[in-house]
Amino acid sequence: MISELVVDVQPKEITIAVLEDKKLVELQQESQDESFSVGNIYLGKVKKLMPALNAAFVNVGHKKDAFLHYLDLGVAFNSVLAFQKHVEDKKRIPQLQKMKLQPDIDKEGTITDILKVGQELLVQIAKEPISTKGPRLSAEISFAGRFMVLIPFINRVSVSQKIKSREERARLRKLIQSIKPKNFGVIIRTNAQGKQSAELDAELKVLVKRWEDNIGKILKAKAPSLIFEETGRTVALLRDIFNPSFEQIHVNDKSVAQQVAEYVSLIAPDWKNVVRQYKGALPILDNFGVTKQVKSLFGKTVTFKNGAYLIIEHTEALHVIDVNSGNRHKSKLSQEDSAFEVNVAAAEEIARQLRLRDMGGIIVIDFIDMNKGEHRNKLLSTMQELMSKDRAKHNILPLSKFGLMQITRQRVRPEMEIATSEVCPTCFGKGKIKSSFLFTDTLERKIGYLVKKLKVKKFSLHIHPYVASYVQQGLFSLKYKWRKKYNAGIRIIPDQKLGFLQYLFYDKDGNEIDLKEEIEIK
């Protein structure tokens, strides 16, 4: 299997697509001004205590107060408070290695015994704001790397349960215990399997330095205040999924490409050449077939094989997926065997959809009914195998007697939602448009306005691929005539995300030129 990463950097958002054998399997979109990412550390202020929930609401600067449960304080919370008090009293940051750690908090304790309203404390975003809920917090601070997670204020070392070999688990635990600083805990990740001392020691030093470089900010910080910002979304995703099967990483922005290249050269020097800056004329997502797949995969109805399709519905409480065989028919197969074949194919597409849309919480799947127990068991094992590549924690229950499969999947950030239907860009949903034969006249008037009124001599025109083909066809094409008539440098860019009669103008630096409707030649 060959994996590729495609990164589309735009002024307002960054889109990251993961392709496996050219098929889209993960898609992340993040606003450029988004500041509440998982992993960010804040100095927050307790706004309200909720004894009935054994939790507190903490102000971290979000429009809704963040939620902090007692069990998310972490066993070492007394040590965190002692550290903060030392900073407040002495006005300096103590060396954590020289501190005496405090006893663990009582697991059966209550939030009112530990916190009080107005108290400032260090917290980390565990879940992003979802729907009407604010962020979910943890007071157990951690710094994630590729091979390990560093946790200040504790001394234990634990190993990922996905590492099955006892010898390897013992080797890694002994190795980390010998090199880690005092009063720092470490969780050894699955990626550390087989790694040698030099690589692990190098990353451990980077994570400790990250703690030391950022914790000093609490001296001058006033709650709510950002203390540490998690690595950029591109690098954070790459940290979790990077492996030697990556053939190429394509980025259309020079600075982001440089960040990614630096990170890859740090964690895998032999693979630094896989990072490439995309300089093509087509939008990067169109060039790698991402836009077309997004349009076909994010709707309510998703077809997957021989006419079979899924119906995907979302509610506040859960997600429901209905499997349908459609008009598919094979005379050679019995009804039972045909249902089993459709269900197995549906399982493959559902596993892909869960990763792609990042669906979390409870997912209920209504498969086509099967009578044979061996088919039902085989379907369960197939789904478990297909979801083994899913990095989100999940649990899959066997088919119920009604043919329903229930899956719980970790919800860390809001589910990915992309509108696949398009509002008419010309009539704006009113139902009446100008004749399409006059569309090229509209484009010519816009070009005339750009050149004569705005004095823009070099620009690119993004239009639907069908319209682009029409504009550029023939030796004396419309594009050629426009260039000659207005003495301007015009580039025609086919853009799959645009509607049939939609258009966008960009200057030579890639900035959109805003031509509003009132600019139509009067």
Side-chain angles (χ1 to χ4, degrees):
M1 181 182 64
I2 298 173
S3 299
E4 292 178 281
L5 196 71
V6 180
V7 183
D8 180 26
V9 182
Q10 297 297 331
K12 293 184 179 179
E13 69 178 11
I14 296 178
T15 302
I16 303 162
V18 180
L19 305 177
E20 291 179 355
D21 292 333
K22 304 298 181 182
K23 291 179 66 177
L24 181 65
V25 294
E26 287 192 41
L27 186 71
Q28 297 285 347
Q29 287 185 336
E30 183 175 273
S31 172
Q32 290 277 39
D33 59 1
E34 181 60 62
S35 59
F36 290 88
S37 296
V38 172
N40 284 3
I41 297 173
Y42 290 84
L43 182 65
K45 180 177 285 189
V46 178
K47 290 294 293 294
K48 184 187 294 185
L49 297 177
M50 303 291 291
L53 299 175
N54 204 15
F57 285 100
V58 181
N59 179 15
V60 292
H62 191 262
K63 59 183 178 182
K64 286 189 173 292
D65 291 335
F67 183 80
L68 175 65
H69 193 272
Y70 179 85
L71 296 178
D72 293 323
L73 291 175
V75 294
F77 189 66
N78 286 332
S79 298
V80 178
L81 292 181
F83 180 86
Q84 284 187 242
K85 190 173 188 313
H86 188 283
V87 173
E88 293 170 3
D89 293 345
K90 305 261 179 118
K91 303 301 180 186
R92 64 182 179 85
I93 303 296
Q95 282 190 311
L96 184 55
Q97 293 93 320
K98 296 181 179 180
M99 277 189 61
K100 181 181 179 181
L101 297 184
Q102 302 299 309
D104 292 350
I105 63 172
D106 183 5
K107 291 182 180 180
E108 304 297 327
T110 60
I111 199 79
T112 51
D113 295 335
I114 302 287
L115 298 180
K116 59 183 179 181
V117 174
Q119 182 176 346
E120 295 184 356
L121 68 159
L122 282 172
V123 289
Q124 189 166 31
I125 305 291
K127 287 185 180 180
E128 290 182 9
I130 296 174
S131 186
T132 58
K133 301 172 183 175
R136 178 78 182 252
L137 300 178
S138 170
E140 188 172 61
I141 306 301
S142 64
F143 295 88
R146 178 164 165 73
F147 303 129
M148 66 191 76
V149 178
L150 182 75
I151 307 175
F153 303 105
I154 63 175
N155 263 316
R156 68 175 180 268
V157 174
S158 56
V159 184
S160 168
Q161 293 183 355
K162 291 183 180 180
I163 300 177
K164 302 299 183 184
S165 169
R166 288 185 179 182
E167 294 78 8
E168 180 64 5
R169 293 171 65 88
R171 181 188 75 88
L172 288 171
R173 183 179 281 106
K174 185 177 180 181
L175 176 58
I176 294 299
Q177 284 175 337
S178 68
I179 61 175
K180 80 170 186 68
K182 184 183 177 183
N183 294 341
F184 283 95
V186 173
I187 299 174
I188 302 171
R189 305 182 72 177
T190 311
N191 285 335
Q193 192 166 354
K195 300 302 177 184
Q196 299 305 311
S197 168
E199 291 178 277
L200 299 176
D201 185 50
E203 180 169 278
L204 183 60
K205 287 177 179 176
V206 169
L207 296 177
V208 171
K209 189 173 188 303
R210 191 174 295 172
W211 155 264
E212 292 172 346
D213 290 347
N214 286 279
I215 197 60
K217 296 177 184 177
I218 66 173
L219 277 172
K220 299 180 181 179
K222 291 184 179 179
S225 181
L226 178 65
I227 300 299
F228 166 72
E229 188 168 12
E230 180 57 284
T231 313
R233 187 75 202 110
T234 308
V235 175
L237 181 65
L238 190 64
R239 179 187 66 204
D240 292 336
I241 67 172
F242 183 82
N243 63 70
S245 69
F246 270 113
E247 187 179 69
Q248 290 178 342
I249 300 171
H250 306 277
V251 188
N252 66 345
D253 181 89
K254 186 177 180 180
S255 63
V256 175
Q258 187 174 351
Q259 289 175 26
V260 174
E262 289 174 355
Y263 181 73
V264 172
S265 63
L266 176 66
I267 64 172
D270 295 339
W271 295 91
K272 62 182 179 181
N273 294 327
V274 302
V275 183
R276 299 185 181 181
Q277 184 185 351
Y278 176 76
K279 298 180 180 179
L282 284 175
I284 186 171
L285 297 182
D286 289 7
N287 185 71
F288 292 99
V290 175
T291 305
K292 187 175 181 180
Q293 292 190 62
V294 167
K295 292 288 185 181
S296 64
L297 292 172
F298 275 87
K300 176 181 175 180
T301 303
V302 179
T303 57
F304 58 91
K305 189 177 182 181
N306 297 331
Y309 61 96
L310 306 174
I311 301 292
I312 303 176
E313 297 274 10
H314 309 287
T315 71
E316 186 71 22
L318 49 80
H319 309 278
V320 181
I321 302 176
D322 184 32
V323 179
N324 296 276
S325 59
N327 57 6
R328 178 184 181 281
H329 178 68
K330 281 191 176 182
S331 57
K332 294 182 181 179
L333 295 177
S334 66
Q335 182 178 347
E336 173 75 15
D337 291 337
S338 180
F340 174 66
E341 187 179 80
V342 172
N343 284 341
V344 169
E348 182 177 353
E349 183 59 38
I350 289 168
R352 179 189 182 193
Q353 287 287 333
L354 297 185
R355 289 176 65 189
L356 188 59
R357 304 188 188 210
D358 206 4
M359 293 161 63
I362 301 172
I363 301 107
V364 178
I365 306 166
D366 183 10
F367 283 106
I368 299 173
D369 290 341
M370 298 179 296
N371 295 321
K372 291 185 179 180
E374 61 180 292
H375 283 167
R376 298 160 71 92
N377 293 334
K378 179 65 176 175
L379 180 60
L380 174 63
S381 61
T382 299
M383 180 61 83
Q384 289 171 336
E385 182 182 350
L386 289 167
M387 290 193 65
S388 62
K389 295 183 288 186
D390 195 333
R391 290 177 290 110
K393 294 178 182 177
H394 59 269
N395 187 31
I396 306 171
L397 296 182
L399 286 166
S400 70
K401 63 180 180 180
F402 298 117
L404 303 178
M405 179 180 287
Q406 298 175 64
I407 299 175
T408 58
R409 187 174 182 273
Q410 182 184 26
R411 188 196 309 231
V412 175
R413 54 182 56 85
E415 176 212 344
M416 175 70 66
E417 291 184 3
I418 294 179
T420 54
S421 58
E422 299 172 352
V423 174
C424 173
T426 306
C427 76
F428 301 102
K430 296 177 182 177
K432 294 183 179 180
I433 65 171
K434 298 176 184 177
S435 171
S436 57
F437 290 105
L438 301 178
F439 181 57
T440 53
D441 294 342
T442 300
L443 291 179
E444 185 171 347
R445 289 198 300 270
K446 297 289 185 179
I447 292 170
Y449 181 86
L450 272 175
V451 175
K452 294 178 180 179
K453 297 288 187 181
L454 302 183
K455 306 299 181 184
V456 179
K457 289 293 185 181
K458 288 186 178 182
F459 54 88
S460 59
L461 170 59
H462 289 230
I463 47 181
H464 190 278
Y466 289 172
V467 180
S469 297
Y470 177 76
V471 167
Q472 297 182 100
Q473 72 175 352
L475 184 61
F476 297 101
S477 63
L478 283 174
K479 174 186 172 182
Y480 172 82
K481 293 175 182 177
W482 291 342
R483 278 183 166 180
K484 296 292 287 184
K485 180 177 179 179
Y486 296 104
N487 191 27
I490 305 173
R491 295 176 69 201
I492 303 296
I493 308 295
D495 197 331
Q496 294 178 9
K497 73 174 181 291
L498 297 181
F500 189 65
L501 299 182
Q502 194 174 5
Y503 57 88
L504 293 171
F505 286 94
Y506 291 86
D507 62 22
K508 62 181 181 180
D509 298 320
N511 300 311
E512 184 179 344
I513 304 171
D514 189 11
L515 294 180
K516 300 186 183 300
E517 281 301 307
E518 57 265 25
I519 295 179
E520 291 278 7
I521 299 298
K522 299 173 182 174

